Amino acid sequence: MKFRKKPVVIEASQWFKQGDHPMVGPMPRGYEHHEAGWIHTLEGGHIVSPGDWIITGVAGEHYPCKPDIFEATYETVEG
């Protein structure tokens, strides 16, 4: 069987540094990377690298997405 993802409008913003998105915080102790951030997701914590997109999902959850995957998966919606 094949399936198609339902068209869903999401909110997203690109992250480059601390302060760009309220859900991205500093790296936990022991995981310090100079330019990286940390986000708590439904699957646990994830590293956020400069240029990653932070997506707000359909249930209000947040998760990072690499720029190449974001570009291949999403397009801009007018309005």
Side-chain angles (χ1 to χ4, degrees), residues 1 6 8 21 27 34 37 42 44-45 48 56 59 63-64 70 75 79:
M1 296 175 79
K6 294 178 182 177
V8 174
H21 194 282
M27 295 291 290
H34 179 63
L42 297 176
V48 179
T56 302
Y63 55 93
F70 188 87
E75 60 187 20

Side-chain angles (χ1 to χ4, degrees), residues 1-74:
M1 296 175 79
K2 293 184 179 185
F3 295 87
R4 178 179 306 152
K5 188 183 276 189
K6 294 178 182 177
V8 174
V9 175
I10 54 107
E11 289 187 20
S13 60
Q14 206 163 16
W15 186 90
F16 291 98
K17 63 184 180 340
Q18 292 298 331
D20 282 352
H21 194 282
M23 299 306 291
V24 179
M27 295 291 290
R29 187 175 304 247
Y31 290 92
E32 291 90 355
H33 296 283
H34 179 63
E35 296 182 353
W38 188 261
I39 190 167
H40 293 283
T41 72
L42 297 176
E43 292 83 28
H46 287 272
I47 294 173
V48 179
S49 299
D52 285 356
W53 287 87
I54 306 302
I55 297 173
T56 302
V58 296
E61 74 280 16
H62 295 91
Y63 55 93
C65 184
K66 294 295 180 195
D68 58 334
I69 302 299
F70 188 87
E71 184 178 324
T73 307
Y74 298 99

